[in-house]
Each structure stands twice: as structure tokens, then as C-alpha cells.
Amino acid sequence: MPDLSPAAGPAPAGPASGAAPFAALRQQLADAATAFAGSPDALAEILAGIVDDVDRALGERLEIFPVCHHSPASALAMVRRLRAKQPRVIYLELCEDLRPLLDELSRCRLPVAVQAFASEVDGFPAEWAPLSVVAPVTEASAEYQAIAYALETPGVELVLVDRSTDHVFQWSPRTVPDGDPPEGASPPEEEAALHGDAVGVEVGDLRPRFAELEAHLLHHGKVRHWSEWWEQYVERPLAGADHDTYRQVMVLIGSLFRRLRPTRADRLDRDEDRERYMWTRIRQHLARTGVDPADCLYVCGAFHAASRVEQFGLDSTAPDFEISPRTGTGWRYGLIPSSHSAIEAQFGLAPGSVSIAAASWAKAVSAARVTPYRLAGQPGERSRAGRGSGTGRGRVAGTPAPDAADGSVTDRLTGFLAAPPPLDGLDEAELRGWCVDIVRLARRNGYLASTADAIAVFEHSILLAGLRNRARPTPYDFADAAVTCIEKDVVPGRRDVRRLCEILLGGDRIGQVGYHALPPLARDVLDRLRPLGLDLEKRTVQRALLDLTATPALAACSDLLWLLRHLLPADAVRPIMGERRLGHRSIQESWDLALGRNQRALIELGYEGVTVEQVLEQRLRRAVRAPDATAAGTLAAVEDALRLLDSPRLVDDLGTRAVELLAAERTVDDAPDVLRRIRRLLAHYRATTAALPAWCEAFMTTGYAHYCTLLPSAFVDDEAGTRQVGAMLGFLFSLESVALSLGCDRSQLELAVAQCHPEAPAKVALLWAARHQLGLLPLTELRARCAELLANP
């Protein structure tokens, strides 16, 4: 059993045990601990400690706003607080070097992810490359509301205070852990891979870090996964709470999860270092600008709001945290498209939970008559939200509870914890609409669903909610009921009923990076493909027809498409008709293009260079200089350079490298591939040039001497098969005329064959053929040997 005692170490001085305003609550919890546990020791210490954490966080001069990532309740509370406080500076828990990217969010359709990318590392293990860090942003999140307010309100400064992306990897274990698998995992669809294998960072990771605690909460909450527990017990009660109640409850939850976790863990150390880092950056900014802390707002995860590190608070006397310098790794920054399923897959959330949160956010905004903050001119902006929201002045009906004039804290926790949960009556019209729509979707996807199934889902949803002590079925109850009543046998199509429920309840919204926010390479690709007359930013697959004879201007588009075919995933640019070989170009081509669906891959190409040609050249040069590079692979790179790039200098460099690698090889495993590729290259040069290039001549002479040297050992080596030996002989005999014209000596080959003494029958046959080719074994003698073999029983 892990150690669950409160984390050791110095902590900021908190209020006295009997100090107001939480003295009564602290005493109640201590009495409850004594009554239930039979001892006032460990449990009482934890319960009293979480009250102290709330008191300390709310008593800090710099207002701390605790949030949970992708939480509609947090976003709603953020909108209300920003309208009431109108802060001049917002400190946000996000990697500090991502700040310039946030200005480009107005050109994107959410959700998108801000990304830092490094293809070459300096100071990290080489096997980590490429490094990638993403921070997804959705509209139903408190961080987006804070960003939109800060960017659209004149005179407001947004300061990111979390560790840089370089420190994310500096503080990581030497082996980067994989992300947690999603709860209730189902096979990921295409949209779930939009983040690739990037390391995810988010504002407000609030989840128990003790597996037994989470299992206990799920069991007694009668729910299947953590997202459902959070929606039922935190999201709904806090959706209509006032500001003080929201802050106290969120800090309380963060403190509880913080104290009930295993100690002496690497993650604990990293979390505390992040908190020291953020408070150090905040104090440095206040000292540099002289801003009044009363005009500032610190937005961080509820887990970090309950911090007990020595640097916590503006009045802490502890020295600033020593921030290590960044490594020499060169980071590139940009925006990539994201989706609800990609966020769920990366952060281990239940499938459909982010879509349900988005639907809950839209419903809460409508019910509370709130106009959320939005970046002006953002694609996909709804007209209702656009009125008055782009100026940084959100509207909300009603007047929130004002803060106390003297800044004192009022105990709202006692009333909130003691009050029964508000009863939310059954909305039959909403549930009936869900049932009808899910049956319609199921029939479209191959299920034999009927009106009887809709009735069954309706009644089953109500029964499930009753079993789980809910007055109103939640989307999770409805999804469980739909799976039970409709998924009777097997999935007839690509989508099962649970996936159909996710689509019905909000869908997997997929973001898009706007044209002007793309890196130069991506914009250059779209501009160069404009003559095709297609809207390549769409996520649909589009067919492009190129008649290069009738429209010669499309030849440039064809060249670019073949380059993209080499660099992008297979489904991004797929040729249907036409090919590009050495010395051959099709006169008509047909392509299936899905660049909008593969926008992330195109954007990450922009992190490697300014043009597609530059990226391909860099990749070819890196490939031939890699430690595992071979002569055959380098000849393949030469072919790619000849087919796709008009760069004789690059071809010469790659060919020279192929000669070096061939001379250094001590095995003949790649001899068949070398023979096939050099024959193709020789045929190309003979058809297009008057003389062979210098590297090709050097390759022929080096290869002739090299294979003559290795031939005797290859004949007796058990690891060298007949295919490899046959390829060596093919090189030496079929290309002999070229080698001899370049100054090679045939006696070297005769000596090599004379030294061969194979024992395997197949290799003996190859030796006879080689000797006959050299004239050392006359045809009559060869026939006599064959007759002797046939006569031998």
C-alpha cells in the first residue's frame, strides 16, 4: 500500500487552527473524523489540512482562480469573474514560450492545439527525436475564455508562467512515458491521432492520482469512469454557484486529491517544481512592471491552487526558484488541428466526454444567458455569440454576489457541503428527442432498430438514472441504455452504438488552422496547388484531374504532388492514375487529395523548412548520413533526388556518399538491392547523358573491386545466401564491360573465382556458372559434370 500521509516538506504558514472563517467547518470535520475513524490522528489531519489549504489560497493577495481542464463549470465561472473584476493582468498556467502562438487563435476554428516541435535535439537523448508538445484549446474551457478576454480587451496583458516546453523534457524521466489509454477504450478512429505522439500539457489536470481512491469514488458514485463522476458530482452542482463558492469548492477538491496521493514520487517532485516555477515568474513580473496585485488574476489548476511549496504567495520570504537554462534544442512553434476525440485519447478521458462537455457548455450558456468571450473574426463564430463578445465585454443576466469590501473570506463551504443536491427534473422532450434521433442514426448505420427500440431506450434511461440516484438521466445514462437496447448482436458497420451516441450528443468537433496562421511552407503548398481549382482546406477527399498535354501549366502542380506523396502520409496525396519513374513522366494524372484532413502533417513539414523541396533535400541528406545508412538505401535516395528534385549537386553528394558506404560494407546482404538500383541508374544515365557522372564511375570501380574481394568468403559463408552470391556475380559479369572500360582488371575476378571452394550444392552450381562465364570451364566439361550428377543415384 503506498504511503498516503500528507506530503512532507516546508509549507507556507497557514492560519491558526481556530482562525475564522473556517473554524466551525474545521471543527465539524475533526469531530467527524473522530466519530468515524475512532482516532483523531491521520484522518483529522487530512480533513483539517484541506480546510487550511482553502483558507490559505483564498487569503492570498493575488487572486487565485482554480480551474479544471475542459470544464464548462470552470468556463462559466471564468466568464462571470472576468466581467466582474476586469483584471489588467492574467497569469495563466501554460508553457511560457507558447505565448506568441495565442495571437493566431483568432484565425482558427476550435478546437486546435498550440504546438512546440523540435526535429533535432541538443541536450536530450537522440532517440527522443522528434520532440513535440501540444496544448489543446477548446471553446468550453476556462483558459480559452481568459485568453479571449485578454487578447480582445485593450490594456490587458496575458502572461504565461508555467515551465517552457524545453523544461517539460528536461524534467521528464529519461524514458518518455506513453499517455494513459482512454477509459472504456475503443479502437481509435482517424481523428484520435491528430496529436500524433506529442506530449500533452493542459490547464487544470484534476484527477485522483491514487488508483484505489478513484476506484472507491467510481464504485460509490455508481458510475463507470471518472469523466461521468466529475460531471455528476462537480460540474452540475457548480454550474450555478457564485464566485466564492466555486473557488472554495475547487480548492477543496484540489487539496483533497493532493493530500490523498502517494508521496516520494517523481510526478510529485515535478508538480511542486512547476508551482515554484510559476510563483517565481509571477513575482518577477510584478517586480518588473509594478502592477497592483489587486488588478491581477492567476488562473491555474485547482491541484496547484492548493500548493504548499515554500514559494507560494506574494508574501513568501523563500528565495526564488532557480530556473535552469534551456538546452541548445531549436524549437519551432505553430498551431495544429485538434478534435474532441484527440483530446480524449491523449489525456485518458472517456470517449465522448469532451463532446458532452461542449454540449453542456452550450446549454449552460443559454440557460444562464451568458455571452462568452470570443476572439473577433474567428471562423465558425455564431452570430449570437458574436454580438458584443468580440470586444472583451461579456454580458450575463443577473448580478453576482459582490466581493466583501474589506477583502475578507466568507465561509461558503459549510452551506454547500451540507445542502442537498439540487433536483433537476426530467426533461421528457429532450430525452424523447435523443431516443428518436439515435434510432434514426442506428438505422442509417445498418442496425435493425425500430420505434420499439426508441421506447425501450427512453424507459431504460429513466430506470438507469433511478438506479444511480439521479432524478434526470444524463447523457451517460442515455448512452448506456442505447447500447443495451440497440446493440443486440454485432456491429454491422464501422460505427457502434456508443459512437453514434457521441455523434448525436455533440459530435467529434474537429478544429482547423486558418490559412494566415499556417507556417510559410503550408501556405506555399496551397498557393502552388491553386491552379487545380480545388478547396484543399476542406476535410473531404477531392479528386484532381491533370491533363499535362492540354494544360502544360499543371506540370508544376504535378511535380509538387509527387513531392508531397513522398513526404506526407499515404492517404494525404494518393495517385490514382499516372506514375513518376526515372526518365518517365505521365501525360495524364489523377489524384485523390486530402490535405485538409492531414493538416497536422503538412504543418509539421513547415517546422523543417521553408519549402517542400528544402525539406526533402534535408531528409535525404540526413538519411544517408545516419548511423544505419547503407549503400542500397543511398542509391534509393539518389533515385528520389533524380525523380523529384532538379538538383545535380545533391545527386552528386548522395552518389559520393553511396561510394563511401559501399567500400565500408563488410557483408553482402544488400547486394541484390544494390545490383537492381545501379542497373536502373546506369540505364537512365545512358539514355539521358553523354557520359556517366563521376560518382557513378567511382561506384562501378569500387563495387567491382569490393565484390571481387568479398566473393571467396561469401561462397563459404552460411549467412550469405545464394541470392546474395548470385547478385554479386550479376554485378561482376553483367556490368563487367562498364567496369573494364573504367580501368578495372579482369584478372582480379579470375583470382577471386579461383579462391572459391563452396560446399553447398547451390553455390557449387553458381561457381560452375562463374567459371564457365570466365572461360575456365569449357562447355564439354560442364556437360560431363552435369551428366555425372544425373547418373549418380
Side-chain angles (χ1 to χ4, degrees):
M1 173 70 76
D3 180 12
L4 293 181
S5 60
S17 61
F22 297 102
L25 178 60
R26 186 181 293 104
Q27 185 60 45
Q28 290 181 31
L29 294 177
D31 294 342
T34 303
F36 285 100
S39 170
D41 296 335
L43 181 57
E45 181 183 357
I46 293 175
L47 294 178
I50 61 178
V51 177
D52 291 339
D53 290 342
V54 174
D55 203 356
R56 182 174 62 256
L58 270 62
E60 170 58 32
R61 287 195 296 127
L62 173 63
E63 180 177 336
I64 302 174
F65 194 95
V67 300
C68 174
H69 66 85
H70 312 304
S71 165
S74 293
L76 200 60
M78 175 64 72
V79 173
R80 290 168 171 158
R81 187 54 182 165
L82 291 175
R83 181 187 61 81
K85 184 179 178 68
Q86 295 288 317
R88 292 173 49 199
V89 177
I90 294 180
Y91 299 109
L92 183 61
E93 178 199 329
L94 200 60
C95 296
E96 58 185 1
D97 52 336
L98 299 179
R99 173 61 184 88
L101 294 177
L102 302 183
D103 296 326
E104 301 294 333
L105 287 177
S106 60
R107 299 171 176 175
C108 305
R109 182 172 66 243
L110 299 183
V112 296
V114 292
Q115 181 184 38
F117 185 88
S119 56
E120 298 180 358
V121 297
D122 180 4
F124 300 112
E127 59 270 16
W128 285 16
L131 303 180
S132 181
V133 176
V134 298
V137 180
T138 63
E139 186 176 354
S141 61
E143 57 266 33
Y144 173 73
Q145 297 301 318
I147 291 170
Y149 164 80
L151 297 183
E152 294 297 325
T153 305
V156 176
E157 183 179 6
L158 178 65
V159 183
L160 306 188
V161 294
D162 201 358
R163 55 184 175 168
S164 69
T165 51
D166 196 271
H167 287 89
V168 170
F169 288 95
Q170 284 189 35
W171 296 356
S172 295
R174 290 293 91 179
T175 56
V176 180
D178 296 332
D180 298 331
E183 307 169 23
S186 58
E189 294 196 2
E190 172 193 355
E191 290 79 10
L194 289 178
H195 295 171
D197 56 356
V199 175
V201 295
E202 51 189 346
V203 178
D205 179 14
L206 197 57
R207 183 169 181 169
R209 296 181 183 176
F210 181 37
E212 284 82 354
L213 173 61
E214 182 172 335
H216 177 83
L217 294 174
L218 298 185
H219 173 71
H220 289 276
K222 298 181 180 179
V223 294
R224 292 182 298 109
H225 43 69
W226 175 250
S227 303
E228 187 176 358
W229 187 95
W230 180 266
E231 195 271 344
Q232 178 176 345
Y233 292 99
V234 180
E235 281 293 322
R236 291 197 173 193
L238 286 183
D242 61 80
H243 173 63
D244 290 339
T245 303
Y246 168 83
R247 288 182 67 201
Q248 293 175 24
V249 171
M250 289 295 286
V251 177
L252 179 77
I253 297 173
S255 175
L256 177 64
F257 291 166
R258 188 184 187 95
R259 288 175 179 271
L260 294 180
R261 66 172 181 176
T263 57
R264 298 183 296 274
D266 291 340
R267 185 167 182 176
L268 170 63
D269 296 337
R270 292 197 299 272
D271 285 334
E272 293 186 344
D273 283 345
R274 288 179 62 193
E275 291 154 5
R276 296 183 180 97
Y277 193 111
M278 290 189 284
W279 279 107
T280 297
R281 288 303 194 204
I282 290 173
R283 291 208 293 262
Q284 290 175 350
H285 180 269
L286 289 173
R288 184 172 63 252
T289 60
V291 179
D292 186 356
D295 295 331
C296 304
L297 189 67
Y298 174 30
V299 181
C300 67
F303 189 87
H304 299 299
S307 172
R308 291 178 293 158
V309 298
E310 59 274 17
Q311 283 84 4
F312 179 90
L314 301 182
D315 298 326
S316 171
T317 58
D320 287 345
F321 177 64
E322 184 177 353
I323 299 175
S324 60
R326 300 185 188 181
T327 65
T329 300
W331 291 92
R332 299 178 182 270
Y333 301 92
L335 296 160
I336 62 173
S338 184
S339 68
H340 292 169
S341 58
I343 297 171
E344 292 158 0
Q346 184 164 36
F347 297 107
L349 304 176
S353 58
V354 179
S355 296
I356 292 175
S360 302
W361 160 252
K363 189 173 182 178
V365 166
S366 176
R369 291 181 293 170
V370 173
T371 300
Y373 293 98
R374 288 183 62 91
L375 295 171
Q378 193 163 26
E381 181 175 354
R382 292 183 293 273
S383 58
R384 180 185 60 81
R387 293 193 298 269
S389 62
T391 62
R393 296 186 296 273
R395 301 194 311 275
V396 58
T399 303
D403 297 336
D406 58 354
S408 60
V409 178
T410 304
D411 178 14
R412 302 294 181 89
L413 271 178
T414 303
F416 182 85
L417 297 176
L423 294 179
D424 197 0
L426 172 63
D427 188 344
E428 290 192 4
E430 179 186 55
L431 181 57
R432 191 182 303 114
W434 288 352
C435 296
V436 172
D437 289 341
I438 192 59
V439 168
R440 182 184 298 112
L441 271 176
R443 291 183 65 86
R444 289 178 184 173
N445 286 270
Y447 288 91
L448 297 178
S450 64
T451 304
D453 293 303
I455 298 173
V457 174
F458 182 88
E459 298 295 341
H460 203 72
S461 300
I462 298 175
L463 289 175
L464 278 178
L467 290 172
R468 296 167 178 174
N469 297 326
R470 300 170 183 165
R472 175 179 184 168
T474 66
Y476 298 98
D477 298 324
F478 165 72
D480 291 342
V483 171
T484 302
C485 299
I486 300 177
E487 194 80 79
K488 302 179 183 69
D489 188 8
V490 294
V491 181
R494 185 169 64 93
R495 293 167 173 162
D496 58 10
V497 173
R498 191 167 298 281
R499 175 64 180 141
L500 296 178
C501 291
E502 296 169 16
I503 296 173
L504 171 66
L505 296 171
D508 186 14
R509 186 175 303 170
I510 301 172
Q512 185 179 36
V513 179
Y515 172 84
H516 295 287
L518 293 171
L521 180 144
R523 294 200 303 268
D524 179 63
V525 167
L526 297 179
D527 291 342
R528 292 165 63 181
L529 294 179
R530 205 176 300 278
L532 297 178
L534 303 175
D535 186 0
L536 297 178
E537 296 186 56
K538 291 183 177 179
R539 290 187 52 82
T540 56
V541 179
Q542 302 178 72
R543 178 65 58 87
L545 303 175
L546 286 73
D547 189 342
L548 303 179
T549 303
T551 312
L554 295 179
C557 295
S558 173
D559 295 339
L560 179 57
L561 290 175
W562 286 111
L563 285 167
L564 295 174
R565 171 67 178 170
H566 187 86
L567 296 171
L568 293 179
D571 63 329
V573 177
R574 187 163 63 94
I576 304 301
M577 181 180 68
E579 58 181 344
R580 177 68 62 88
R581 302 193 311 268
L582 287 178
H584 173 79
R585 290 172 178 257
S586 303
I587 60 175
Q588 288 184 334
E589 294 177 354
S590 175
W591 296 82
D592 274 353
L593 306 180
L595 292 177
R597 185 177 297 176
N598 291 271
Q599 195 180 49
R600 168 183 167 268
L602 182 62
I603 289 172
E604 290 188 347
L605 280 185
Y607 300 159
E608 300 183 44
V610 180
T611 64
V612 176
E613 290 81 2
Q614 180 188 6
V615 172
L616 178 58
E617 179 176 345
Q618 290 176 350
R619 288 193 180 182
L620 293 177
R621 291 186 183 278
R622 284 200 301 268
V624 302
R625 296 290 175 182
D628 57 347
T630 62
T634 306
L635 290 179
V638 172
E639 287 188 51
D640 291 334
L642 288 171
R643 288 188 307 112
L644 304 174
L645 296 173
D646 184 16
S647 177
R649 177 182 53 81
L650 173 63
V651 173
D652 290 341
D653 292 344
L654 298 178
T656 303
R657 177 60 176 168
V659 177
E660 298 173 0
L661 291 173
L662 181 65
E665 287 183 352
R666 292 297 175 262
T667 65
V668 293
D669 295 340
D670 294 332
D673 201 9
V674 170
L675 175 61
R676 184 176 66 255
R677 295 187 181 281
I678 194 61
R679 278 176 174 171
R680 196 155 51 224
L681 288 168
L682 287 174
H684 170 71
Y685 281 121
R686 284 169 175 168
T688 57
T689 60
L692 294 178
W695 76 265
C696 201
E697 295 180 353
F699 192 92
M700 289 303 304
T701 56
T702 302
Y704 192 87
H706 180 67
Y707 284 139
C708 284
T709 303
L710 295 180
L711 191 61
S713 59
F715 263 108
V716 296
D717 188 359
D718 293 336
E719 295 183 359
T722 55
R723 186 167 175 264
Q724 283 71 29
V725 175
M728 295 172 65
L729 294 175
F731 185 98
L732 295 171
F733 287 116
S734 64
L735 304 179
E736 184 180 25
S737 60
V738 180
L740 295 180
S741 67
L742 296 174
C744 294
D745 189 356
R746 196 183 194 205
S747 60
Q748 187 178 8
L749 176 57
E750 294 175 349
L751 290 173
V753 171
Q755 296 173 3
C756 297
H757 303 285
E759 296 180 359
K763 292 185 178 179
V764 170
L766 287 176
L767 179 60
W768 291 355
R771 295 187 62 193
H772 175 70
Q773 187 72 19
L774 289 172
L776 302 177
L777 184 62
L779 185 59
T780 55
E781 185 177 349
L782 180 59
R783 284 176 175 172
R785 291 190 180 186
C786 292
E788 181 182 353
L789 284 176
L790 293 174
N792 191 324

